[in-house]
């Protein structure tokens, strides 16, 4: 919530933004309460409906306005959020003191400017007194009551509204007390202006913090951290200026790593020098041998030096930091380590996870949890020491999630686990732009603001004076860094549950930016990994847990991670009371320094009248269906430069599908169209000509009908799925239908080819019984019996997979396929019995018939050629487009069932295209087996030879 009140405007305005745990706008009612500075309820807004997660309220101020800090409280159920904002009265004239927020102790002068104006714009004429005080950072004196402190002063007898001042830093350094350092002091400038004509005196002030030029080094994340023996330990080192701003010059750091061995009682030290990247965060990797029991990392600032080898220097005069890293304890020193190559996990993308173990793994079970809820889970068949898999990132995981991977050893039932905590970027998915058009109005009386974005999205923006915007971060706008910091601070702080992060403040005071990184587990044992991920373990397996250290909590004691106790009063006092630094590990000095600097920027100067006027510029609305939102605002009488900032929200982010037009979808589209035309035409010929409805042709009609269904339904959907290889965009119902067609009609097509091959072999080897039993009624009974057989054997697998095993909600996370691992034996049996053996009857029948004809030709020579329908039918059954891939496809899926790491994606694409080609070529080849087919086809043509219209 960002807001101010101003007496001149007489209108209070404040927007409230509400987000769900999935980082989507909250839709519902909100109760808003407004309290005056005395704490009494002034306004109450019950059951206010939010618009795309935003409640914007304006109210008229009372004639007698109570000045001070007002408070807003928003309530949704049991959730409350409070925010304070000031109100003040307009003065006759004001004094504005401008000077930098921070200054280096190496600067020669402290400079600034003074402006004194009446509220209507006229300058003040009188005298001016400028005083600079040296304040300790812990001083409790309220501004500007600094009398009695060390100071320097300047008196200007003739002041005409504008004045520049300058103080020598050497003179100020000489005023510093002997027991204090100039670095860290606050230079407070107080200006007293007296006006001759109105006999009025006003005071303005401004404060500046003094910093040195060294860099501030901080190991990011909770401390102490934990390493896995025999693995690579990773951590992050944040480097910034002392005031929290990003580095403005090249900087090098030296990393000293002390390896301690508990068995031998000795160790060694490794020293490395790194150049700090431009983003200010150094990623460190250190391989830890198996015999190491503890690490001690020390970082030293070398400034702009870049020496190839460390040289001796006085490390007591440079900026430095240190961190202890403890050894992970497990059964038989078996460990699992998780790493990821995904640096910035965003919603809708995939997190690539690499698993490495010190032993031969059989299976892995993984769980993704966030905010105390289990989001995803799965099981991977590994059979190796390393494995890589992917996890779909959803909005429920934001702002951070825990990935726990564990394995149960076959001998002993011990659990080996590891935890990986990663941040999730779930905001800024709704893109929009804000521009200001000042040339639309020729008379310069109005200004036009144009917002371009997604249709029907909510957008709101405000404006603040350009000179005041750098001084009030967080008050005048809602930035990305503010949202991320609020989301990460919402959960209760627990050791090992946070992600390492760094917030950089703009040197000029503009929008800050925050970066967050993934981190490995901080658990010393297996039990602590599950506990840090908010997971409770209920299992008969052995979950290793190290010996606990019991401390007297009633006496204000807490346990150190490596053992021992410390007093809660000594937490975050800057001194390591634990050997591993547990008492200082969760203090997060970076965030603490940021909050102190943010509060300093808000209170370091006297607020002017114009800083309370920007709330009148708050505007919100909905983007039109055309994708733009345009509004005109009248300009104020006192012209000034203003910075505009906006935010937008949309309940459902419109996803722009990316179509991958490769050879596979192109072939499937062409085959689907040609297959539908050829099978449909052949089917009409057989249905129209009564003479073509023989006993064998009923099988052909049945096969053509199956091919037509597969061409129109299965292959068309397969083409759409091939355009989106990593996601399913057609919904769950279409997925159910697609798998049903893939299961039943596809299986019936395979079995129909086998039945037709067996029918031809029966007619050749036993012609007498064939003529006696084969009839149209018998053919219909065979077709009906085939469907009964498939309904009893294949259909239950589709029903069980749809009802129980296959997860729903496939729109953005998974592809549409059967859950083969749920019933491995069942799918293996059906693959062999339904999809492989019937197809193998076709080549067996062809070879048998060919050999039989050759043998008969040698025994009984004949002058006439064999009947065309017999040879054509055999050739039609033995089309190379469909028969060869069938057994190999079954073998491929059986191998993947027991070896999940085996994958040949190109083979699947080729097999699907060849299967579709088989359905397209069936009508052409099978029509050669029917004598009257071409005559019936010619009769269906509208324009045939000799026909007159």
């Amino acid at each position: 919530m960002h807001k101010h009140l101003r007496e001149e405007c007489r209108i209070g305005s404040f927007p409230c933004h509400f987000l769900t745990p999935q980082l989507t706008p909250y839709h519902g009612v909100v109760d808003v309460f407004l309290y005056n500075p005395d704490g009494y309820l002034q306004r109450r807004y019950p059951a206010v409906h939010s618009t795309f997660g935003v409640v914007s309220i304006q109210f008229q101020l009372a004639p007698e306005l109570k000045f001070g800090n007002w408070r807003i409280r928003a309530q949704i159920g049991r959730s409350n959020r409070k925010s304070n904002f000031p109100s003040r009265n307009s003065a006759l004239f004001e004094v504005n003191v401008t000077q930098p927020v921070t200054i280096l102790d190496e600067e020669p002068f402290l400079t600034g400017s003074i402006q004194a104006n009446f509220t209507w714009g006229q300058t003040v004429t009188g005298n001016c007194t400028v005083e600079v005080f040296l304040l300790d950072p812990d001083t409790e004196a309220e501004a500007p009551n600094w009398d009695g402190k060390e100071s320097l002063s300047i008196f200007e007898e003739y002041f005409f509204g504008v004045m520049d001042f300058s103080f020598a830093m050497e003179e100020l350094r000489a005023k510093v007390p002997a027991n204090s350092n100039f670095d860290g002091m606050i230079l407070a400038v107080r200006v007293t202006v007296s006006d001759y004509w109105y006999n009025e005196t006003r005071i303005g002030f401004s404060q500046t913090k003094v910093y040195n030029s060294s860099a501030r080094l901080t190991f990011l994340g909770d401390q102490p951290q934990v390493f896995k023996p025999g693995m690579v330990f990773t951590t992050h080192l944040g480097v910034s200026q002392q005031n929290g701003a990003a580095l403005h010059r090249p900087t090098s750091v030296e990393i000293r790593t002390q390896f301690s061995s508990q068995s031998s009682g000795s160790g060694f030290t490794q020293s490395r020098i790194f150049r700090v990247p431009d983003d200010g965060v150094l990623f460190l990797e250190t391989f830890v041998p198996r015999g190491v029991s503890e690490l001690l990392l020390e970082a030293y600032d070398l400034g702009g030096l870049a020496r190839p080898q460390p040289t001796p220097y006085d490390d007591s005069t440079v900026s430095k930091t240190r961190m202890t890293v403890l050894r992970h304890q497990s059964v038989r020193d078996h460990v699992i380590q998780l790493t990821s190559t995904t640096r910035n996990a965003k919603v809708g993308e995939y997190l690539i996870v690499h698993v490495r173990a010190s032993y031969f793994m059989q299976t892995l079970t993984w769980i993704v949890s966030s905010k105390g809820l289990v989001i995803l889970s799965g099981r991977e068949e590994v059979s190796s020491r390393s494995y890589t898999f992917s996890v779909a990132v959803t909005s429920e995981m934001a702002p951070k999630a825990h990935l726990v991977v564990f394995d149960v050893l076959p001998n002993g039932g011990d659990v080996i686990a590891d935890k990986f905590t990663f941040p999730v970027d779930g905001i800024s998915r709704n893109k929009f732009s804000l521009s200001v058009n000042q040339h639309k109005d020729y008379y310069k009386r109005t200004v036009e603001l144009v917002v371009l974005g997604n249709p029907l999205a909510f957008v709101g923006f405000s404006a603040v004076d350009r000179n005041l915007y750098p001084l009030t971060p967080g008050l005048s706008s809602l930035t990305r860094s503010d949202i991320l910091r609020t989301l990460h601070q919402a959960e209760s702080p627990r050791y090992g549950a946070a992600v390492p992060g760094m917030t950089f403040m703009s040197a000029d005071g503009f929008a800050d930016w925050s970066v967050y990184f993934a981190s490995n587990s901080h658990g010393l044992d297996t039990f602590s990994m599950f506990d840090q991920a908010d997971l409770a373990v209920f299992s008969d397996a052995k979950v290793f847990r190290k010996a606990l250290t019991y401390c007297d909590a009633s006496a204000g004691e807490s346990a150190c991670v490596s053992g021992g106790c410390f007093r809660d009063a000594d937490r975050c006092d800057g001194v390591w009371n634990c050997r591993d630094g547990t008492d200082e590990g969760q203090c997060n000095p970076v965030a603490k320094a940021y909050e102190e600097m943010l509060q300093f920027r808000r209170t370091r100067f006297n607020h002017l009248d114009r800083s309370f006027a920007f709330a009148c510029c708050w505007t919100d609305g909905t983007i039109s269906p055309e994708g733009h939102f345009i509004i005109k605002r009248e300009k104020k009488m006192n012209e000034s430069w203003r910075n505009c900032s906006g935010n937008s929200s949309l309940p459902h982010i419109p996803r722009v599908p990316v179509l991958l037009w490769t050879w596979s979808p192109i072939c499937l589209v062409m085959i689907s169209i040609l297959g539908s035309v050829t099978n449909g035409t052949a089917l009409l010929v057989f249905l129209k000509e009564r003479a073509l409805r023989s006993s064998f042709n009923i099988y052909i009609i049945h096969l053509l009908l199956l091919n037509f269904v597969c061409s129109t339904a299965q292959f068309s959907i397969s083409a759409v799925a091939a355009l989106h290889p990593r996601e399913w965009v057609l919904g769950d119902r279409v997925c159910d239908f697609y798998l049903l067609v893939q299961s039943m009609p596809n299986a019936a097509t395979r079995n129909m080819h086998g039945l037709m091959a067996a029918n031809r072999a029966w007619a050749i080897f036993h012609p007498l019984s064939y003529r006696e039993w084969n009839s149209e009624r018998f053919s219909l009974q065979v077709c009906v019996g085939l469907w009964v057989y498939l309904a009893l054997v294949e259909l239950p697998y589709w029903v069980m997979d749809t009802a129980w095993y296959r997860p729903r909600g496939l729109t953005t996370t998974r592809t549409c396929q059967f859950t083969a691992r749920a019933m491995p034996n069942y799918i293996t049996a059906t693959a062999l019995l339904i999809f492989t053996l019937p197809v193998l009857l076709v080549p067996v029948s062809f070879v048998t018939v060919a050999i039989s004809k050759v043998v008969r030709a040698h025994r009984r020579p004949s002058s006439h050629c064999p009947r065309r329908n017999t040879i054509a039918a055999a050739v039609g059954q033995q089309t190379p487009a469909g028969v060869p891939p069938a057994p190999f496809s079954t073998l491929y899926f059986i191998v993947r069932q027991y070896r999940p790491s085996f994958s040949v994606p190109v083979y699947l694409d080729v097999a699907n295209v060849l299967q579709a080609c088989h359905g397209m070529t069936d009508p052409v080849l099978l029509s050669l087996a029917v004598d009257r087919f071409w005559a019936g086809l010619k009769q269906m043509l509208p324009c045939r030879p000799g026909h007159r219209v």
Side-chain angles (χ1 to χ4, degrees):
M1 293 182 280
H2 50 93
K3 58 274 127 190
H4 273 100
L5 293 181
R6 183 186 177 210
E7 183 190 22
E8 180 184 344
C9 192
R10 284 298 174 185
I11 295 179
S13 174
F14 55 90
C16 306
H17 302 262
F18 304 93
L19 298 176
T20 64
Q22 293 78 22
L23 296 186
T24 57
Y26 169 77
H27 292 276
V29 295
V30 181
D31 297 330
V32 182
F33 305 90
L34 179 65
Y35 298 89
N36 63 10
D38 295 332
Y40 293 102
L41 182 63
Q42 193 77 17
R43 292 280 203 286
R44 182 174 182 268
Y45 302 91
V48 181
H49 287 270
S50 63
T51 304
F52 297 109
V54 179
V55 173
S56 183
I57 296 178
Q58 290 186 355
F59 59 93
Q60 187 72 27
L61 300 180
E64 298 296 332
L65 180 63
K66 185 72 175 181
F67 302 106
N69 290 324
W70 289 61
R71 188 180 66 189
I72 300 174
R73 181 171 68 90
Q75 179 176 351
I76 302 177
R78 297 183 179 180
S79 301
N80 289 273
R81 178 73 175 179
K82 300 178 182 178
S83 182
N84 298 326
F85 61 95
S87 64
R88 56 159 294 182
N89 192 6
S90 297
L92 181 63
F93 69 89
E94 296 174 321
V95 179
N96 181 22
V97 182
T98 303
Q99 63 176 352
V101 181
T102 60
I103 186 174
L104 296 178
D105 56 357
E106 301 174 352
E107 296 290 336
F109 296 98
L110 170 66
T111 60
S113 61
I114 304 170
Q115 293 180 350
N117 297 86
F118 291 96
T119 54
W120 56 86
Q122 181 181 345
T123 59
V124 176
T125 303
N127 57 45
C128 175
T129 303
V130 184
E131 301 171 284
V132 55
F133 297 88
L134 276 76
L135 305 179
D136 189 84
D138 300 327
T139 183
E140 298 180 356
E142 185 178 356
N145 301 323
W146 301 314
D147 296 331
K149 303 293 182 179
E150 295 290 340
S151 64
L152 297 175
S153 62
I154 299 175
F155 178 74
E156 184 70 23
E157 183 176 1
Y158 301 101
F159 175 73
F160 299 99
V162 179
M163 173 184 171
D164 296 332
F165 63 88
S166 175
F167 292 93
M169 295 290 286
E170 289 294 334
E171 297 181 5
L172 295 174
R173 187 179 290 105
K175 293 285 186 179
V176 177
N179 57 349
S180 301
N181 295 325
F182 191 52
D183 177 23
M185 298 291 289
I186 297 177
L187 303 181
V189 177
R190 184 177 65 184
V191 178
T192 304
V193 177
S194 298
D195 181 72
Y196 292 147
W197 302 102
Y198 292 93
N199 195 21
E200 288 282 342
T201 301
R202 290 290 182 268
I203 297 178
F205 64 90
S206 180
Q207 304 178 48
T208 297
K209 273 194 174 184
V210 181
Y211 288 104
N212 57 39
S213 59
S214 63
R216 184 173 63 188
L217 310 179
T218 306
F219 285 106
L220 305 182
D222 295 339
Q223 300 180 19
Q225 298 185 11
V226 178
F227 70 88
K228 303 292 179 63
M231 299 290 180
V232 177
F233 170 72
T234 60
T235 187
H236 297 82
L237 178 67
V239 185
S240 65
Q241 299 183 39
Q242 291 292 336
N243 58 357
L247 297 174
H248 63 279
R249 58 180 174 83
T251 303
S252 299
V253 296
E254 179 186 358
I255 305 297
R256 298 179 186 175
T257 307
Q258 298 181 12
F259 299 83
S260 302
S261 177
Q262 186 176 4
S263 58
S264 61
S266 61
F268 61 94
T269 301
Q270 182 187 49
S271 180
R272 296 173 293 174
I273 294 180
F274 298 94
R275 173 76 68 176
V276 179
D278 296 337
D279 58 359
V281 179
L282 182 62
F283 181 71
L284 300 176
E285 293 184 332
T286 304
F287 177 76
V288 185
R290 285 189 170 275
V292 176
S293 60
E294 186 174 305
L295 298 179
L296 178 62
L297 271 68
E298 296 178 322
Y300 297 89
D301 175 30
L302 302 182
L305 301 178
R307 292 167 287 188
Q309 295 294 335
T311 57
Y313 60 92
D314 187 8
D315 55 11
S316 62
T317 60
V318 299
S319 179
K320 59 184 177 180
T321 185
R322 62 174 177 166
M323 178 182 64
T324 302
V325 187
L326 305 177
R327 178 190 177 98
H328 174 74
Q329 303 176 15
S330 61
V331 179
R332 290 176 287 180
D333 282 342
H334 285 349
V335 294
I336 295 176
Q337 188 179 43
L338 303 179
T339 58
S340 176
T341 54
T342 305
R343 298 302 181 187
N344 187 17
K346 297 182 179 180
V347 174
E349 298 181 356
Y350 286 87
L351 176 72
I352 308 301
V353 183
H354 306 282
V355 185
R356 184 186 177 189
S358 61
Y359 65 97
F360 193 82
M361 300 178 293
Q362 296 292 338
T363 58
L364 285 178
T365 304
W366 54 271
I367 300 174
V368 179
S369 64
S370 179
K371 298 179 285 292
L373 302 175
V374 176
I375 308 300
L376 294 175
S377 63
R379 186 181 179 89
E380 305 291 336
E381 301 292 338
V382 181
S383 300
S384 64
R385 291 179 179 267
S386 61
Y387 185 70
T388 300
F389 66 98
S390 61
V391 177
V393 181
T394 62
S395 59
E396 290 82 2
M397 301 179 187
K400 64 180 179 181
H402 307 284
L403 172 64
V404 179
V405 175
F406 64 92
D407 180 26
V408 181
L409 298 180
N411 298 327
D414 296 298
V415 178
I416 309 297
D418 191 20
K419 181 179 72 71
F420 184 76
T421 305
F422 59 96
V424 177
D425 186 3
I427 63 176
S428 298
R429 291 179 290 162
N430 178 28
K431 304 297 182 181
F432 75 101
S433 63
L434 172 63
S435 59
V436 180
N437 184 8
Q438 304 185 57
H439 307 287
K440 190 68 172 292
D441 188 357
Y442 178 78
Y443 296 99
K444 306 292 184 179
R445 298 173 181 173
T446 60
V447 60
E448 183 181 73
L449 294 95
V450 180
V451 179
L452 302 178
N454 294 317
L456 304 181
F458 172 86
V459 62
F461 47 87
S462 60
V464 64
D465 190 275
R466 186 178 65 175
N467 296 327
L468 299 177
Y469 182 88
L471 309 179
T472 58
L475 288 179
S476 58
S477 63
L478 188 64
T479 63
R480 173 186 174 87
S481 180
D482 297 333
I483 298 177
L484 290 177
R485 190 172 60 256
T486 302
L487 292 175
H488 282 279
Q489 294 176 355
E491 299 184 18
S492 59
R494 296 183 57 187
Y495 170 70
V499 293
M502 187 83 175
T503 300
F504 294 95
M505 302 193 72
S506 173
D508 299 327
F510 290 95
D512 308 330
W513 68 94
S514 301
V515 289
Y516 295 90
F517 305 93
S519 65
N520 291 98
S521 172
H522 288 63
L524 278 180
D525 50 30
T526 304
F527 178 83
S528 59
M529 293 182 182
F530 290 96
D531 182 65
Q532 292 172 5
D534 293 333
L535 296 176
V537 181
F538 299 93
S539 174
D540 56 352
K542 299 178 183 179
V543 181
F544 178 75
R545 187 175 188 180
K546 71 179 185 68
L548 299 178
T549 302
Y550 292 96
C551 300
D552 191 359
S554 60
E557 292 183 348
S558 299
C560 301
V561 176
S562 59
C565 302
F566 69 93
R567 296 189 307 163
D568 292 339
D570 298 333
R571 189 187 298 271
C572 299
D573 60 353
V575 180
W576 280 22
N577 299 285
C578 290
R579 182 179 60 85
D580 54 16
T582 304
D583 56 324
E584 305 294 326
Q586 289 185 269
C587 299
N588 199 350
V590 176
K592 183 179 179 181
Y594 175 81
E595 294 295 337
E596 292 178 353
M597 177 56 69
L598 191 63
Q599 184 63 24
F600 173 74
R601 287 190 175 189
R602 292 174 178 174
T603 60
R604 76 179 193 89
F605 61 94
N606 58 303
H607 291 280
L608 304 179
D609 180 72
R610 60 181 179 180
S611 65
F612 290 80
F614 78 88
C616 300
C617 297
W618 168 261
T619 304
D620 55 28
T622 303
I623 298 179
S624 64
E626 291 77 14
H628 57 77
F629 176 72
I630 302 175
I631 189 172
K632 291 183 179 181
R633 298 303 299 263
E634 295 183 0
K635 290 185 177 181
K636 299 296 181 180
M637 295 299 297
N638 49 346
E639 296 185 0
S640 62
W641 287 92
R642 294 181 181 267
N643 287 358
C644 295
S645 60
N647 54 81
S648 178
S649 60
L650 192 64
H652 301 286
I653 305 300
R655 302 178 64 256
V656 180
V658 179
L659 305 181
L660 299 180
W661 284 100
T662 59
W663 65 271
S664 179
I666 294 176
C667 293
L668 288 175
V669 170
M670 297 176 61
I671 292 172
S672 176
I673 297 174
L674 295 178
S676 301
V677 173
T678 55
N679 285 279
T681 303
L683 189 60
L684 289 177
V685 172
F686 278 100
L687 294 178
K688 186 175 181 180
E689 296 294 331
R690 174 63 182 172
L692 295 178
R693 302 176 193 173
S694 62
S695 58
F696 180 76
N697 290 349
I698 290 178
Y699 297 141
I700 298 179
I701 295 174
H702 186 208
L703 182 60
L704 292 175
L705 181 60
L706 292 174
N707 288 334
F708 181 78
V709 173
C710 292
S711 299
T712 55
Q714 179 184 352
F715 300 147
S716 59
I717 299 179
S718 298
V720 177
L723 293 174
H724 307 274
R726 292 188 177 182
E727 59 183 355
W728 182 259
V729 298
L730 300 178
D732 292 331
R733 297 303 179 94
V734 179
C735 179
D736 296 339
F737 174 75
Y738 174 67
L739 294 181
L740 178 63
V741 175
Q742 193 178 26
S743 175
M744 296 298 291
N746 193 15
T749 303
R750 304 275 183 102
N751 285 264
M752 204 62 215
H753 281 87
L755 289 177
M756 295 173 64
N759 184 276
R760 292 293 88 190
W762 181 23
I764 293 175
F765 288 104
H766 300 282
L768 297 180
S769 62
Y770 178 80
R771 292 180 180 179
E772 180 181 358
W773 290 95
N774 189 45
S775 62
E776 296 182 10
R777 181 178 179 181
F778 179 79
S779 300
L780 293 175
Q781 291 175 351
V782 170
C783 295
V784 174
L786 173 63
W787 283 102
V788 174
Y789 164 71
L790 294 177
L792 295 176
V793 179
E794 178 66 18
L795 186 61
Y797 174 71
W798 176 84
V799 174
M800 289 186 292
D801 181 80
T802 303
W804 298 323
Y805 298 114
R806 181 159 41 86
R808 317 302 289 177
L810 306 174
T811 305
T812 59
T813 56
R814 301 179 180 89
T815 56
C816 181
Q817 57 186 356
F818 285 104
T819 311
R821 299 178 187 176
M823 297 175 287
N825 298 329
Y826 193 108
I827 192 173
T828 302
T830 54
L832 292 174
L833 190 62
I834 296 180
F835 291 93
T836 304
L837 295 180
V839 179
L840 291 178
L841 288 176
V842 177
V844 171
S845 175
F846 178 79
V847 174
T848 304
V849 170
I851 294 176
S852 175
K853 283 187 169 291
V854 172
V855 172
R856 291 183 181 181
H858 284 287
R859 290 180 180 178
R860 232 175 10 184
S862 177
S863 60
H864 66 275
C865 297
R867 294 185 60 186
R868 184 188 61 172
N869 59 346
T870 304
I871 300 178
V875 173
Q877 299 302 318
Q878 184 61 12
T879 53
V883 176
F888 294 105
S889 298
T890 303
L891 180 62
Y892 175 84
F893 284 107
I894 292 177
V895 172
R896 272 192 57 85
Q897 186 64 32
Y898 298 98
R899 293 291 301 272
S901 58
F902 178 77
S903 177
V904 186
V906 177
Y907 173 78
L908 291 179
D909 296 336
V910 175
N912 292 333
V913 173
L914 290 180
Q915 180 185 352
C917 291
H918 186 225
M920 180 185 65
T921 56
D922 260 350
V924 179
L925 296 176
L926 291 177
S927 62
L928 299 176
V930 183
D931 296 330
R932 297 179 54 86
F933 178 81
W934 296 105
L937 179 62
K938 293 178 181 180
Q939 293 181 3
M940 288 185 56
L941 295 177
C943 296
R944 54 183 181 268
H947 180 72
R948 296 182 179 180
V949 180

